[in-house]
Amino acid sequence: VMAGILTYPNDTVRRMLQLQGSRGTEAVYNGYWDCVRQIYAKYGIKRFYNGAFINIIRMAPNTAVQFGSYELLKRASDDYF
């Protein structure tokens, strides 16, 4: 979950770069750092974390299943190795 919080701003910039010029958007960026500067100047730091809460809620069950599966397979493999 912590990794998701730390990397979420990068995902925001990636999405903004992918969406530039589509669906009527007028924003044009000249690379990654230009996108960061424009987003920060127009919206502030809060824009980089817009939607992060929903992403964390999505990640929590996934992480629980991943750790649970790992433990289950680890115990099952102990009988064979």
Side-chain angles (χ1 to χ4, degrees), residues 23-35:
R23 293 190 284 159
T25 59
E26 298 175 9
V28 177
Y29 306 110
N30 294 321
Y32 183 86
W33 292 110
D34 181 53
C35 183

Side-chain angles (χ1 to χ4, degrees), residues 37-57:
R37 281 190 293 272
Q38 285 189 39
I39 292 171
Y40 183 74
K42 190 170 183 179
Y43 303 106
I45 194 77
K46 189 175 179 181
R47 176 63 178 101
F48 291 103
Y49 290 96
N50 192 18
F53 181 71
I54 298 299
N55 191 44
I56 291 168
I57 290 173

Side-chain angles (χ1 to χ4, degrees), residues 3 5 16 18-19 21 23 25 27 32-33 41-43 46 48-49 51 53 58-60 70 74-76 78 80:
I5 293 170
M16 296 297 280
Q18 287 176 336
L19 291 175
R23 293 190 284 159
T25 59
Y32 183 86
W33 292 110
K42 190 170 183 179
Y43 303 106
K46 189 175 179 181
F48 291 103
Y49 290 96
F53 181 71
R58 181 188 61 83
M59 287 171 47
Y70 172 78
K74 183 179 169 186
R75 287 186 198 142
D78 285 342
Y80 296 106

